């Protein structure tokens, strides 16, 4: 089965610019996660979707970050405007459902550099 | 507060030697516990998980982990390390629809 797809793999922008990342989860997976992984740290959950509804976005900086999952399939994460501290790898993951910590399958990530 | 601690940032072992990576969690009840591995430029891959039952859990690639409630630990072990095991390893736990990841341990393998 195809894994979690993410694009682009790399992105370099200047501060105050906007950027968008795309994620296509494994077919049939109801739950989709976006994580931010800053160099030297573990992944930090930004937002979790169950189908097309938001389950948890408590750590999403909503003044500049937004995410949507239209039709409960693929998802887009946007940053507008970007700051230097947003430089990180953005990981998308999906799981079949959100009960009992079902295994998450991770995409390769998008490495964002903000200059 | 709920948290996961991986006290070792870097570990270097010789190929063929045994390995133990430490993980401690802070949570009142028994959480669901996981170990993930991340190779350079790759996403995270699940090695093993513990929900309940037998406290010694077997995973992929010859890894195992032992849950010790008295020590709030879930250490990852491998009896003989291969050069391909060089990667970063993350411990995580799950509670109330949220995963908490540790800061990771980077494993180097000497030939």
């Amino acid at each position: 089965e195809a894994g979690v797809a993410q694009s682009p793999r790399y992105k370099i922008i200047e501060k105050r610019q906007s950027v968008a990342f795309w994620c296509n989860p494994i077919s049939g997976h109801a739950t989709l996660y976006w994580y931010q992984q800053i160099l030297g740290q573990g992944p930090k959950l930004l937002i979790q979707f169950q189908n097309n509804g938001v389950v948890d976005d408590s750590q999403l900086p909503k003044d500049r970050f937004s995410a949507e999952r239209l039709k409960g399939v693929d998802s887009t994460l946007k940053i507008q405007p970007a700051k230097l501290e947003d430089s990180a790898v953005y990981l998308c993951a999906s799981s079949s459902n959100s009960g009992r910590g079902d295994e998450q399958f991770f995409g390769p990530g998008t490495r964002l550099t903000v200059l | 507060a709920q948290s996961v601690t991986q006290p070792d940032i870097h570990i270097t072992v010789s190929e063929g030697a045994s390995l133990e990576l430490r993980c401690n969690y802070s949570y009142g009840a028994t959480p669901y516990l996981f170990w993930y591995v991340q190779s350079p430029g790759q996403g995270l891959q699940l090695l093993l998980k513990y929900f309940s039952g037998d406290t010694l859990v077997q995973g992929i690639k010859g890894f195992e982990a032992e849950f010790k409630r008295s020590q709030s630990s879930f250490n990852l072990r491998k009896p003989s390390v291969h050069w391909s095991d060089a990667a970063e390893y993350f411990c995580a736990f799950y509670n109330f629809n949220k995963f908490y990841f540790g800061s990771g341990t980077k494993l180097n393998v000497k030939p």
Side-chain angles (χ1 to χ4, degrees):
Chain A
E1 89 189 334
V4 177
Q6 289 188 249
S7 68
R9 291 295 309 276
Y10 305 91
K11 191 73 176 179
I12 300 174
I13 62 172
E14 296 191 348
K15 60 183 179 183
R16 291 187 291 274
Q17 286 186 322
S18 63
V19 65
F21 312 128
W22 175 81
C23 172
N24 190 26
I26 290 174
S27 178
H29 278 192
T31 308
L32 185 147
Y33 310 80
W34 282 104
Y35 289 89
Q36 180 192 58
Q37 187 178 18
I38 293 173
L39 186 65
Q41 298 182 18
K44 182 183 83 172
L45 180 69
L46 292 176
I47 189 167
Q48 177 183 340
F49 292 95
Q50 178 79 5
N51 296 310
N52 60 351
V54 176
V55 174
D56 186 337
D57 64 355
S58 57
Q59 299 193 93
L60 186 75
K62 298 180 185 66
D63 58 335
R64 298 183 301 107
F65 285 64
S66 64
E68 60 182 11
R69 191 184 184 197
L70 300 176
K71 301 180 182 178
V73 182
D74 56 352
S75 176
T76 302
L77 176 69
K78 296 179 182 177
I79 308 175
Q80 182 179 6
K83 293 185 175 180
L84 296 177
E85 58 260 37
D86 297 332
S87 294
V89 175
Y90 290 85
L91 296 166
C92 179
S94 69
S95 65
S96 55
N97 63 64
S98 63
R100 288 210 332 155
D102 290 307
E103 178 179 355
Q104 295 180 78
F105 294 84
F106 284 82
T110 296
R111 182 176 296 277
L112 174 66
T113 302
V114 183
L115 303 175
Chain B
Q2 300 163 96
S3 67
V4 180
T5 303
Q6 293 181 248
D8 304 305
I9 300 174
H10 288 100
I11 283 185
T12 298
V13 300
S14 298
E15 192 168 15
S18 64
L19 170 71
E20 183 167 24
L21 302 182
R22 296 184 290 165
C23 172
N24 293 95
Y25 66 90
S26 173
Y27 180 61
T30 300
Y32 301 136
L33 294 160
F34 306 79
W35 275 100
Y36 282 84
V37 61
Q38 186 177 35
S39 298
Q42 305 293 317
L44 282 73
Q45 180 185 21
L46 180 67
L47 287 175
L48 47 79
K49 60 187 176 184
Y50 172 78
F51 287 170
S52 64
D54 192 347
T55 56
L56 186 62
V57 181
Q58 301 298 320
I60 62 171
K61 305 185 180 187
F63 285 92
E64 66 178 26
E66 185 172 14
F67 170 64
K68 293 186 178 179
R69 184 192 306 274
S70 61
Q71 299 176 18
S72 296
S73 69
F74 188 56
N75 294 349
L76 182 71
R77 301 194 294 245
K78 186 169 185 178
S80 177
V81 170
H82 188 262
W83 64 266
S84 60
D85 294 324
E88 191 156 19
Y89 293 80
F90 292 93
C91 181
F93 83 80
Y94 173 86
N95 180 48
F96 294 119
N97 292 331
K98 188 179 291 186
F99 280 86
Y100 299 86
F101 283 86
S103 54
T105 297
K106 191 164 288 188
L107 173 66
N108 294 318
V109 180
K110 291 191 302 185

